[in-house]
Amino acid sequence: MERREATGKENMGTKKKNLTFLRPRLYMLERRKTDTVVDSSVSGDHSGTLRRSQSDRTEYNQKLQEKMTPQAGASATETLTQEEHQMQRMMAKRSKIIKELIQTEKDYLNDLELCIREVVQPLRNKQIDRLDVDSLFSNIESVHQISAKLLSLLEEATTDVEPAMQVIGEVFLQIKGPLEDIYKVYCYHHDEAHSVLESYEKEEELKQHLSHCIQSLK
């Protein structure tokens, strides 16, 4: 009787050792066969953890990546759109500056023509003693000519030309030399012309002639 009990205890011990030895290996085998992907969290579902095969997991990852890819493309498209908008704003600003520059030259040229027509030429025609028109207005006719040339070149560079293709820097480089030569003379005599004008305003007769011309301008 005692021998049978001892034999039974030995068998139980052997079974426990075998189970202890096999349990990790069974667990690893189960892990290879299945893999946990999603835990059940749906209300009323108490089936526990959902398991899928390795091939199902791969398919799941592929679908997830497909969902993410359009977002990356959209982000790149959005960045490109922002760059395009920024470029459009820059081109619109550039076009506006060029238009303002040309309009300024037109207004300046118009003022020069008005001054020559209504003041310089009438005073020359009167041939008034003690009134030196050249000292008073220096080389204003040359200034008018070079300004007209500049405006013509600017209009030629921008008329019927796409805003992105308009190049006005070359215009100023082309006319740079004549501009400098003419305005050097004009600026050199500016202070002298101002002094001459002050002296003429002290003489009533000359002052009347100048006032008449100014009223014509107005």
Side-chain angles (χ1 to χ4, degrees):
M1 185 68 179
E2 293 177 357
R3 185 174 182 80
R4 288 179 181 178
E5 292 177 356
T7 302
K9 292 178 179 180
E10 290 177 0
N11 290 336
M12 289 293 293
T14 301
K15 289 180 179 180
K16 289 181 178 180
K17 290 180 180 180
N18 290 337
L19 288 174
T20 302
F21 177 77
L22 290 174
R23 188 176 289 113
R25 287 157 177 77
L26 290 173
Y27 175 76
M28 292 300 296
L29 181 61
E30 183 69 15
R31 289 285 291 176
R32 288 176 184 153
K33 290 169 62 180
T34 61
D35 185 55
T36 302
V37 178
V38 181
D39 291 339
S40 176
S41 58
V42 181
S43 177
D45 184 4
H46 302 288
S47 60
T49 302
L50 299 177
R51 294 182 176 276
R52 294 178 180 172
S53 66
Q54 185 66 29
S55 61
D56 289 340
R57 185 190 180 200
T58 302
E59 183 180 358
Y60 173 78
N61 289 338
Q62 289 176 349
K63 290 181 178 180
L64 182 63
Q65 187 174 2
E66 290 174 0
K67 291 180 179 180
M68 295 296 292
T69 301
Q71 294 180 2
S75 178
T77 302
E78 182 180 356
T79 302
L80 181 60
T81 302
Q82 292 177 353
E83 291 178 354
E84 290 177 348
H85 288 169
Q86 183 178 3
M87 180 61 68
Q88 290 176 355
R89 289 194 298 269
M90 291 175 62
M91 292 306 299
K93 184 177 180 180
R94 181 178 184 273
S95 179
K96 181 180 179 181
I97 291 173
I98 292 175
K99 288 180 179 179
E100 289 181 353
L101 176 62
I102 293 176
Q103 186 59 49
T104 300
E105 288 300 319
K106 286 182 178 179
D107 295 341
Y108 179 58
L109 184 61
N110 181 67
D111 291 342
L112 288 173
E113 291 175 349
L114 192 62
C115 182
I116 292 172
R117 185 177 67 249
E118 300 296 334
V119 179
V120 178
Q121 290 179 350
L123 289 176
R124 281 205 175 117
N125 293 336
K126 289 181 179 180
Q127 297 182 347
I128 303 170
D129 293 337
R130 305 185 311 279
L131 197 154
D132 188 350
V133 177
D134 291 334
S135 296
L136 192 59
F137 294 99
S138 186
N139 60 337
I140 191 171
E141 285 92 347
S142 297
V143 173
H144 171 266
Q145 290 174 1
I146 196 63
S147 297
K149 179 64 174 179
L150 174 59
L151 178 60
S152 176
L153 291 174
L154 288 173
E155 290 178 334
E156 181 181 348
T158 56
T159 302
D160 297 329
V161 180
E162 292 294 327
M165 302 301 294
Q166 293 177 356
V167 181
I168 63 172
E170 293 182 358
V171 171
F172 288 95
L173 291 176
Q174 179 182 346
I175 204 170
K176 173 178 175 289
L179 272 174
E180 287 183 350
D181 293 340
I182 290 173
Y183 273 96
K184 279 179 181 177
V185 175
Y186 183 83
C187 293
Y188 179 80
H189 292 97
H190 181 270
D191 291 342
E192 180 184 351
H194 184 70
S195 300
V196 171
L197 178 61
E198 288 182 340
S199 66
Y200 289 168
E201 288 178 342
K202 294 177 182 179
E203 298 186 29
E204 190 62 29
E205 182 183 358
L206 297 180
K207 184 178 179 180
Q208 288 296 327
H209 287 294
L210 293 173
S211 298
H212 178 73
C213 294
I214 292 174
Q215 289 299 322
S216 299
L217 288 174
K218 293 180 178 180

